[in-house]
Amino acid sequence: MEIIGLFGGTFNPIHNGHLALAQSVLNTMHCSQIRFIPAAIPPHKAIPAVTAQHRATMVHLAIAGHPQFVLDTCELDRQGPSYTIETLHLLRHRLPEQSLCLIMGQDSYLKLPTWHRWLELLDYCHLLIVHRADSEHQLQLHAAHASKLVDIAQAPQQFAAQAYGLISYLKVTPPDISSTRIRAALSQADHTVVDGLPEKVLHYIQENHLYQS
Ligand code: ATP
């Protein structure tokens, strides 16, 4: 089976840490594509001041030229909080023959038990957790997941052999960048000195006067 990576986030804004993470997953898992799925209304964060449309456009600009990176705006077409379980339900319907691999940083995995219907996620997809700078070097799995872990060396074959239900942990560390720190830098600094953003995204932010205090 083809493996399709699903990378959800607020992308407020998308940064080089996101892109490095996606590239590492692509290289390791041999995914046929990685779908970037911006949240319209993130359930666990304050509603972003920058609209979902702007955030999706920045994702589009950041991934242009990467043939295996795809923008998926399915969460922008729904009302209410962007629950991942609902997105998975929709994508599973659209992609019935593929192995789906939900990608998240280790910080997100730790908060998983606060997600809507989190125990059902593995009924739709596999989970690939990526190490994040300043997280523990050992992954603490939630008890309900203890029997689902496969070593990363076997993950490409095992994730391709079944459509959902497994977990693996990728110990690469993408650059230590966060959208929060980028927003803070953009609101204070001369925009030309802000690091960590793809150039086209920085230009878009400047042209549209985003993240100004
Ligand atoms: P914020 O600082 O606003 O919380 P963020 O930088 O964490 O944002 P999100 O869009 O919320 O960005 O992240 C989407 C996903 O990417 C999450 O699962 C997060 O853990 C992961 N992620 C983002 N940046 C990194 C990074 N530098 N290293 C590893 N994982 C990352």
Side-chain angles (χ1 to χ4, degrees):
M1 251 179 283
E2 267 178 54
I3 302 177
I4 302 212
L6 306 176
F7 189 22
T10 313
F11 300 122
N12 185 30
I14 188 166
H15 54 65
N16 291 336
H18 295 125
L19 295 172
L21 178 156
Q23 189 62 52
S24 296
V25 173
L26 199 63
N27 297 346
T28 307
M29 298 300 294
H30 315 298
C31 301
S32 56
Q33 59 171 224
I34 295 191
R35 303 176 81 85
F36 288 67
I37 310 175
I41 303 178
H44 299 105
K45 292 188 181 181
I47 294 183
V50 168
T51 63
Q53 196 54 59
H54 276 312
R55 291 182 284 108
T57 303
M58 290 188 278
V59 171
H60 169 76
L61 292 169
I63 65 178
H66 292 263
Q68 288 164 293
F69 290 174
V70 175
L71 170 65
D72 186 330
T73 56
C74 66
E75 293 190 353
L76 275 54
D77 305 331
R78 293 204 303 265
Q79 304 293 315
S82 307
Y83 292 123
T84 299
I85 193 77
E86 291 175 8
T87 303
L88 289 170
H89 190 77
L90 177 87
L91 291 177
R92 179 44 80 200
H93 191 71
R94 283 193 196 154
L95 303 164
E97 307 294 334
Q98 280 87 347
S99 170
L100 300 181
C101 173
L102 183 66
I103 303 160
M104 64 181 66
Q106 197 166 347
D107 56 314
S108 299
Y109 180 73
L110 289 179
K111 295 183 204 139
L112 205 64
T114 66
W115 290 24
H116 184 50
R117 294 167 54 197
W118 72 284
L119 285 169
E120 295 169 53
L121 295 174
L122 287 186
D123 296 338
Y124 294 87
C125 64
H126 303 294
L127 213 55
L128 184 65
I129 303 151
V130 181
H131 184 256
R132 188 164 188 173
D134 78 21
S135 299
E136 296 280 320
H137 277 272
Q138 199 71 21
L139 176 67
Q140 290 298 323
L141 277 184
H142 304 299
H145 288 160
S147 61
K148 317 282 185 187
L149 187 68
V150 300
D151 189 273
I152 193 68
Q154 275 82 52
Q157 296 89 321
Q158 297 209 22
F159 279 28
Q162 63 185 74
Y164 58 90
L166 302 174
I167 299 189
S168 197
Y169 178 43
L170 181 57
K171 288 184 198 142
V172 298
T173 310
D176 186 12
I177 302 170
S178 79
S179 298
T180 303
R181 288 209 302 274
I182 288 189
R183 288 195 301 277
L186 286 168
S187 70
Q188 287 160 17
D190 168 4
H191 281 193
T192 54
V193 299
V194 174
D195 280 339
L197 285 174
E199 205 170 319
K200 287 186 199 160
V201 172
L202 181 58
H203 286 157
Y204 185 84
I205 288 171
Q206 289 166 335
E207 278 163 17
N208 291 279
H209 312 289
L210 306 180
Y211 304 111
Q212 295 183 344
S213 50

